[in-house]
Amino acid sequence: EDQVTQSPEALRLQEGESSSLNCSYTVSGLRGLFWYRQDPGKGPEFLFTLYSAGEEKEKERLKATLTKKESFLHITAPKPEDSATYLCAVQGLLGGSEKLVFGKGTKLTVNP
Amino acid sequence: EPEVTQTPSHQVTQMGQEVILRCVPISNHLYFYWYRQILGQKVEFLVSFYNNEISEKSEIFDDQFSVERPDGSNFTLKIRSTKLEDSAMYFCASIPQGAAYEQYFGPGTRLTVT
């Protein structure tokens, strides 16, 4: 069964203090690993898809990387508006499944 | 940029009642999904829908649940007889035609069963 574990559960940073969020996964063949941002009471907002180990993607202050067992979301010089829960999800290749399997997320708080 | 929309934003219902949650996917999208998120828990897959048929469903999606696309635009999730444990945020998602695998989520419907 595909599984996703995210750490830490919560992270509090000062504005400008860079850090990384971790997503460990087990999947029977990886079709894609997805990062989403979720604000309170809202739906997940798509950020990145990574398909193979070694791949990296960037968007503003965010950079996502992928290995065969985990993905990191690096946040460089965060601002208070980056405060949100960041969700990691995987989609496996087994049986042509389309479902996303999510982790519990990392709640990021950036203090001014 | 077009967005997935969902109605209502909040639905309160009594246990045993039927509810219908509605989603309007982005117009050229072909693959549709429902997920739910119980407060404080993970987002969980319920069902996927393509070409007017269910293509995959989870163990959660039992006989109490059904989906349809009645008019070619709206995509609905029906819960026949709600239970207290059905209280959750329900999200609709879709994938554009020709895109890879990114699922774009709607804002969600908060269902409260009393």
Side-chain angles (χ1 to χ4, degrees):
Chain A
E1 186 177 326
D2 301 343
Q3 287 192 328
V4 175
T5 303
Q6 292 187 247
S7 62
E9 289 185 9
L11 181 62
R12 195 174 286 271
L13 299 174
Q14 288 299 122
E15 185 172 1
E17 180 186 1
S18 301
S19 189
S20 297
L21 313 182
N22 177 263
C23 169
S24 298
Y25 65 91
T26 55
V27 65
S28 50
L30 180 70
R31 174 178 287 134
L33 184 141
F34 304 83
W35 282 98
Y36 287 85
R37 170 189 170 128
Q38 187 176 31
D39 292 300
K42 306 291 185 183
E45 175 189 345
F46 172 74
L47 294 173
F48 302 110
T49 311
L50 301 166
Y51 294 104
S52 56
E55 190 174 0
E56 298 183 352
K57 289 203 176 158
E58 286 187 68
K59 181 180 179 180
E60 297 181 352
R61 294 177 292 282
L62 300 177
K63 179 180 175 180
T65 62
L66 180 66
T67 73
K68 288 186 178 180
K69 294 183 179 180
E70 57 191 354
S71 176
F72 292 93
L73 184 65
H74 307 277
I75 303 177
T76 302
K79 298 182 177 181
E81 52 262 41
D82 295 323
S83 297
T85 296
Y86 290 85
L87 304 176
C88 174
V90 296
Q91 189 177 63
L93 288 169
L94 186 66
S97 176
E98 301 163 36
K99 69 180 180 184
L100 295 179
V101 175
F102 281 86
K104 289 193 74 173
T106 293
K107 183 176 180 181
L108 175 66
T109 304
V110 182
N111 295 315
Chain B
E1 184 176 311
E3 294 181 343
V4 178
T5 58
Q6 290 186 242
T7 56
S9 57
H10 189 195
Q11 173 94 46
V12 180
T13 189
Q14 289 191 327
M15 194 167 51
Q17 296 297 303
E18 175 182 285
V19 294
I20 297 176
L21 310 182
R22 291 182 171 80
C23 168
V24 181
I26 301 171
S27 61
N28 66 343
H29 288 199
L30 298 180
Y31 299 86
F32 311 109
Y33 307 87
W34 283 102
Y35 291 80
R36 78 173 185 189
Q37 186 176 31
I38 295 171
L39 187 64
Q41 297 190 23
K42 298 180 181 183
V43 176
E44 301 174 289
F45 169 78
L46 293 178
V47 66
S48 59
F49 191 83
Y50 171 70
N51 203 23
N52 290 320
E53 289 185 349
I54 290 174
S55 50
E56 186 179 1
K57 60 184 180 179
S58 71
E59 293 176 351
I60 303 168
F61 195 87
D62 61 21
D63 292 343
Q64 294 287 85
F65 292 87
S66 62
V67 289
E68 61 178 7
R69 199 169 179 220
D71 58 9
S73 59
N74 290 307
F75 177 48
T76 62
L77 175 69
K78 182 191 292 185
I79 309 175
R80 262 180 272 281
S81 178
T82 50
K83 306 170 190 171
L84 294 176
E85 54 265 37
D86 293 327
S87 295
M89 283 288 284
Y90 287 81
F91 298 109
C92 168
S94 62
I95 297 180
Q97 182 180 11
Y101 304 103
E102 297 87 25
Q103 296 181 21
Y104 291 86
F105 283 74
T109 292
R110 179 152 57 104
L111 177 65
T112 303
V113 182
T114 61

